[in-house]
């Protein structure tokens, strides 16, 4: 994993100004690649790179990397896990390194954009074609690795992080339509727009080109629905369970390819515990892969018992880091800088301290269980979508089973459940509803003038499947829940020079999971039903039978206790109210009600404080700081 940066367009080349701007872009991303950096210039382009050595630790893997004939030059971030297999398909190529970077470069030279369809992994890349004066840019199918770009003063700028664009002189101005979605709907990372006006991110599973001063429309090279239609799923339960574990094992085995030490981030839940169990089979030496987790002082929020149970079960060493309220206020402003856009609340501090410990212990690659909840319907919010499908199919017996299983038995309870099912069948039906079905946002507090200038219709998310359940799963995977989790984890891991790998986001595994029958997703009110059955063979009973737990933190208690004054100072400030996003009267009343103990939702207050800290860092005085051509 690394950091890439570049500029293309008129006036760019091997001159002092281009070199100075590219150097700034590379410098601010040095944390992503502390093991080396490089730059390459040609008429019309400047490419920069910072390297984190993972595969082939020699200097032969340095970037930017060019083909032997000099026609193509690449800067690349991520890992193509099937690079060894692709190397065999590229018979006849004379490789100078053992890197996946060179495989990606040679694959593009042979197959062009079609090479992307052969890649299994996580990546963002840019390749300059000297012969055609054309820049080719691409991002992996799920958007695991970041790629930001902007056109400024007729030139195309791109980088792994937004700060590199600002260092190049791209202005930082608020995109209020995205801010509206964030405050009113808790949607962010759901499209190509960012919180900054004029700066975009390349959509997952897409590529684009820049040539003759024009940025092409991003073109998709992957469709989950198409892959799902090609999947053959066994009829027998046992066979499906066997195939799930076999496919997951292949994904984990591929993601283990590394020339540096590998760790696993263990939450104590079903997903990461299954990952460690598979790792234990694929890599049985307990001294080679160790587990890391975080805890809180309050045992109510601690995952330690489950983590320790799994560590004992596999004979692995488990390391823990504890997080306190003071850590949150101490780390918050630093995270505002490194995350670059609004981010999750208290969990981010716990994850950050965990990644710091991982790197301190000498591990450079870390694997986690991301993607299972989206691929196998793990969240409670998926239930109403299943109910809607059962209603539509007239399957009253299955509907009765599902409702009864979660304690919905009275007439009043069923009326509410049917309302939730009807809402789940509408694209906009669950706006601002958290994964546990709680309401997380306060659109009633938005300033009327802000609503008038920034309010926009509900995003038209793609609905590629014939049923509500899979369409909601797809939305969480492609547009809402997963993209923001991937962004904040990428920044946290890269801040300490560690590469995060989520093997369960192998696109082939995901497609097969989406092809499973609904009862394998949710059965008797429990999500990830097939994984729970399959995991019976590899997990201790305490973990196998544990209910789904979202990442729980004492944020609610912190915000009403130790952090109340800190939070109030940020929100109840002249600068925050002057931005015009929140109505001061309504906002102060909602904040006071929370501090007085009314309601458990603390998320909206963190949204407001987070936005204010973000605006102070990136918007206030930015115009004077911008430098560039």
């Amino acid at each position: 994993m690394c950091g890439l940066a570049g500029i293309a367009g008129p006036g760019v080349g091997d001159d002092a100004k281009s070199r100075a701007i590219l150097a700034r872009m590379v410098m601010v991303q040095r944390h992503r690649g502390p093991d080396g950096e490089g730059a390459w210039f040609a008429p019309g382009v400047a490419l920069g790179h910072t390297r984190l050595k993972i595969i082939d630790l020699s200097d032969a893997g340095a970037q930017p990397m060019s083909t032997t004939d000099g026609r193509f030059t690449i800067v690349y971030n991520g890992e193509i896990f099937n690079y060894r297999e692709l190397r065999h398909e590229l018979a006849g190529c004379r490789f100078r390194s053992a890197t996946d970077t060179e495989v990606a470069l040679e694959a593009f030279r042979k197959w062009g954009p079609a090479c992307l369809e052969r890649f299994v992994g996580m990546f963002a890349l840019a390749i300059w074609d000297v012969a055609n004066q054309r820049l080719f840019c691409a991002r992996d199918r799920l958007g695991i690795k970041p790629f930001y770009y902007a056109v400024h003063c007729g030139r195309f700028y791109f980088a792994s992080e937004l700060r590199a664009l600002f260092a190049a002189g791209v202005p930082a101005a608020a995109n209020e339509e995205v801010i509206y979605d964030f405050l009113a709907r808790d949607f962010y990372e759901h499209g190509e727009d960012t919180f900054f006006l004029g700066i975009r991110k390349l959509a997952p599973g897409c590529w684009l080109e820049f040539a003759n001063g024009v940025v092409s429309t991003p073109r998709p090279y992957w469709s989950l629905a198409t892959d799902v239609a090609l999947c053959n799923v066994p009829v027998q339960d046992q066979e499906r369970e066997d195939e799930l574990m076999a496919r997951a094992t292949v994904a984990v085995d591929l993601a283990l390819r590394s020339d540096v030490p590998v760790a696993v981030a263990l939450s104590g839940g079903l997903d990461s515990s299954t990952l460690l169990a598979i790792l234990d089979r694929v890599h049985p030496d307990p001294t080679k892969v160790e587990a890391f987790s975080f805890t809180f002082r309050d045992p109510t929020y601690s995952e330690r018992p489950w983590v320790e149970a799994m560590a004992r079960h596999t004979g692995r060493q488990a390391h823990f880091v504890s997080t306190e309220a003071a850590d949150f206020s101490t780390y918050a402003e630093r995270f505002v800088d490194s995350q670059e856009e609004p981010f999750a609340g208290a969990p981010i501090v716990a994850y950050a301290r965990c990644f710091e410990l991982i790197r301190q212990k000498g591990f450079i690659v870390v694997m986690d269980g991301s993607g299972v909840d989206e691929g196998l319907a793990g969240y409670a919010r998926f239930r109403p979508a299943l109910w809607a499908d059962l209603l539509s199919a007239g399957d009253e017996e299955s509907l009765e089973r599902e409702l009864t299983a979660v304690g919905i038995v009275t007439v009043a309870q069923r009326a509410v459940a049917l309302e939730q099912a009807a809402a789940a069948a509408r694209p906009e039906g669950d706006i601002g509803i958290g994964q546990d079905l709680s309401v997380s946002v306060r659109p009633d507090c938005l300033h009327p003038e802000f609503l008038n200038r920034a309010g926009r219709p509900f995003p038209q998310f793609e609905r590629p499947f014939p049923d509500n359940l899979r369409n909601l799963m797809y939305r969480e995977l492609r547009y809402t829940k997963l993209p923001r989790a991937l962004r904040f984890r990428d920044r946290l891991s890269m801040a300490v020079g560690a590469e995060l790998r989520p093997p369960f986001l192998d696109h082939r595994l995901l497609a097969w999971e989406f092809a499973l029958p609904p009862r394998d997703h949710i059965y008797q009110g429990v999500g990830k039903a097939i994984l729970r059955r399959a995991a019976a063979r590899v997990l201790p009973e305490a973990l196998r039978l544990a209910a789904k737990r979202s990442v729980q933190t004492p944020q609610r208690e912190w915000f009403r206790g130790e952090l109340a004054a800190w939070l109030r100072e940020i929100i109840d400030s002249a600068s925050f109210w002057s931005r015009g996003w929140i109505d001061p009267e309504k906002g102060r009343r909602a904040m006071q009600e929370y501090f007085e103990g009314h309601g458990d939702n603390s998320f909206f207050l963190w949204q407001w404080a987070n936005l204010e800290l973000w605006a102070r860092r990136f918007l206030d005085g930015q115009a004077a700081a911008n430098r560039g051509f």
Side-chain angles (χ1 to χ4, degrees):
M1 193 180 294
C2 309
L4 49 83
I7 318 164
V12 181
D14 191 2
D15 60 276
K17 182 169 279 190
S18 296
R19 285 184 171 275
I21 294 173
L22 187 68
R24 291 200 299 267
M25 297 178 75
V26 170
M27 180 183 67
V28 299
Q29 297 185 124
R30 193 166 285 160
H31 52 276
R32 299 187 68 90
D35 298 330
E37 60 186 59
W40 181 87
F41 303 88
V45 69
L47 302 178
H49 189 263
T50 62
R51 185 185 181 198
L52 179 64
K53 295 180 180 180
I54 302 292
I55 294 173
D56 187 347
L57 308 185
S58 73
D59 290 340
Q63 298 183 49
M65 181 183 291
S66 301
T67 52
T68 53
D69 61 4
R71 176 174 176 179
F72 299 107
T73 300
I74 189 173
V75 283
Y76 162 77
N77 168 32
E79 304 292 348
I80 295 172
F81 298 132
N82 63 332
Y83 72 100
R84 295 176 185 169
E85 291 76 8
L86 290 173
R87 189 174 176 124
H88 288 300
E89 293 184 46
L90 292 165
C93 292
R94 298 181 62 184
F95 289 96
R96 294 158 291 162
S97 73
T99 66
D100 57 324
T101 304
E102 191 173 13
V103 170
L105 182 61
E106 293 296 340
F108 181 79
R109 175 159 68 170
K110 180 173 183 177
W111 297 306
C115 70
L116 302 172
E117 300 170 19
R118 299 170 181 261
F119 294 168
V120 177
M122 52 184 199
F123 56 87
L125 57 83
I127 300 175
W128 179 254
D129 179 352
V130 170
N132 292 314
Q133 294 288 287
R134 187 181 303 271
L135 184 70
F136 174 83
C137 308
R139 194 177 180 201
D140 65 70
R141 294 170 179 83
L142 278 304
I144 301 170
K145 303 319 305 161
F147 190 100
Y148 294 98
Y149 68 96
V151 175
H152 179 58
C153 296
R155 300 177 183 87
F156 181 81
Y157 296 82
F158 69 90
S160 296
E161 296 185 5
L162 290 160
R163 286 173 294 175
L165 301 183
F166 303 145
V170 176
N175 186 337
E176 288 201 328
E177 289 188 344
V178 172
I179 292 173
Y180 170 79
D181 282 342
F182 175 61
L183 291 173
R185 298 161 174 159
D186 187 26
F187 286 163
Y188 57 108
E189 299 291 330
H190 59 281
E192 295 176 54
D193 291 334
T194 69
F195 278 80
F196 297 95
L197 200 62
I199 300 179
R200 299 173 68 79
K201 51 183 175 287
L202 182 56
C206 290
W207 61 270
L208 60 76
E209 291 181 322
F210 177 79
N212 300 316
V214 177
V215 182
S216 70
T217 300
R219 304 179 191 181
Y221 64 87
W222 179 64
S223 163
L224 176 61
T226 299
D227 280 7
V228 170
L230 298 174
C231 290
N232 294 314
V233 175
V235 175
Q236 298 298 320
D237 288 359
Q238 180 72 45
E239 292 178 1
R240 292 198 305 280
E241 293 163 17
D242 291 342
E243 187 165 347
L244 172 64
M245 296 304 290
R247 286 175 175 268
T249 300
V250 168
V252 171
D253 194 21
L254 267 183
L256 268 172
R257 291 178 173 178
S258 169
D259 293 334
V260 296
V262 179
V264 59
L266 191 58
S267 70
L270 178 65
D271 308 345
S272 62
S273 296
T274 302
L275 169 61
L276 183 57
I278 294 173
L279 276 168
D280 191 51
R281 289 185 168 188
V282 174
H283 205 320
D285 185 350
T287 67
K288 298 298 183 182
V289 179
E290 298 179 9
F292 292 80
S293 190
F294 54 80
T295 64
F296 299 98
R297 182 189 303 168
D298 187 341
T300 305
Y301 299 100
S302 178
E303 296 276 304
R304 186 163 190 146
W306 291 279
V307 172
E308 289 179 334
M310 193 62 208
R312 287 193 300 271
H313 184 70
T314 57
R316 306 279 164 167
Q317 184 172 356
H319 306 271
F320 297 90
V321 61
S322 180
T323 302
E324 308 295 342
D327 296 323
F328 185 80
S329 56
T330 299
Y331 277 69
E333 293 197 29
R334 182 171 58 162
F335 292 152
V336 168
D337 191 63
S338 62
Q339 289 288 316
E340 305 177 318
E341 298 180 278
F343 54 90
I348 198 171
V349 183
Y351 278 111
R353 301 205 65 214
C354 190
F355 284 127
E356 287 176 347
L357 180 61
I358 287 170
R359 198 62 167 87
Q360 289 167 10
K361 293 291 185 180
F363 293 90
I364 299 174
V365 170
V366 55
M367 303 173 75
D368 79 355
S370 297
V372 178
D373 285 313
E374 292 79 10
L376 291 174
Y379 300 128
R381 68 180 302 166
F382 290 132
R383 292 177 195 156
L386 175 63
W387 303 341
D389 290 334
L390 295 176
L391 278 168
S392 178
D395 189 349
E396 296 183 6
E397 181 180 348
S398 296
L399 179 61
E400 176 70 19
R401 177 196 69 215
E402 293 301 320
L403 295 178
T404 302
V406 294
I408 299 175
V409 294
T410 68
V411 173
Q413 288 173 332
R414 288 176 182 246
V416 172
L418 293 179
E419 289 177 2
Q420 291 177 333
R426 299 191 300 267
E428 72 282 5
D430 58 353
I431 293 175
I433 302 297
Q435 64 189 39
D436 60 354
L437 301 180
S438 64
V439 178
S440 58
V441 292
R442 292 296 300 267
D444 57 304
C445 294
L446 297 182
H447 198 291
E449 293 182 8
F450 174 61
L451 284 171
N452 289 335
R453 68 177 183 264
R456 59 177 174 173
F458 189 88
Q460 296 300 303
F461 297 125
E462 182 187 9
R463 294 171 63 86
F465 298 99
D467 52 288
N468 294 298
L469 177 58
R470 288 189 295 176
N471 281 328
L472 181 55
M473 291 163 57
Y474 181 75
R475 193 184 80 183
E476 297 284 275
L477 180 79
R478 172 63 180 79
Y479 297 107
T480 54
K481 183 70 169 61
L482 184 68
R484 63 194 189 192
L486 291 175
R487 190 252 292 177
F488 94 71
R489 290 176 185 175
D490 169 82
R491 300 303 192 281
L492 291 178
S493 59
M494 292 311 301
V496 295
E499 176 174 281
L500 181 62
R501 296 181 177 181
F504 294 147
L505 285 178
D506 185 306
H507 69 281
R508 301 164 302 176
L509 174 61
L510 279 171
W512 189 84
E513 290 171 343
F514 265 72
L516 292 168
R519 68 179 182 277
D520 280 348
H521 292 132
I522 302 173
Y523 186 74
Q524 293 187 346
V526 178
K528 299 181 286 198
I530 186 174
L531 182 60
R532 293 182 187 279
R533 299 196 308 266
R537 315 164 199 177
V538 295
L539 299 182
E541 185 176 7
L543 282 160
R544 189 174 69 248
L545 301 179
K548 165 64 184 175
R549 305 182 303 278
S550 57
V551 179
Q552 296 290 343
T553 69
Q555 176 174 295
R556 181 172 55 244
E557 291 84 351
W558 289 354
F559 283 1
R560 280 193 177 128
E562 297 172 69
L563 298 181
W566 173 79
L567 192 68
R568 188 189 291 272
E569 183 278 329
I570 296 170
I571 297 173
D572 201 10
S573 61
S575 58
F576 178 67
W577 301 124
S578 70
R579 301 189 194 281
W581 298 327
I582 301 297
D583 182 275
E585 182 179 347
K586 294 178 180 178
R588 286 190 175 102
R589 184 166 58 246
M591 180 170 57
Q592 187 60 33
E593 288 173 353
Y594 175 79
F595 288 135
E596 290 175 354
H598 301 292
D600 289 332
N601 174 29
S602 65
F603 178 76
F604 75 96
L605 290 179
W606 171 241
Q607 274 191 317
W608 300 355
N610 195 182
L611 268 180
E612 173 58 16
L613 292 173
W614 169 80
R616 291 177 186 177
R617 166 62 181 87
F618 289 103
L619 304 183
D620 298 348
Q622 268 297 305
N626 286 330
R627 297 170 296 174
F629 281 95

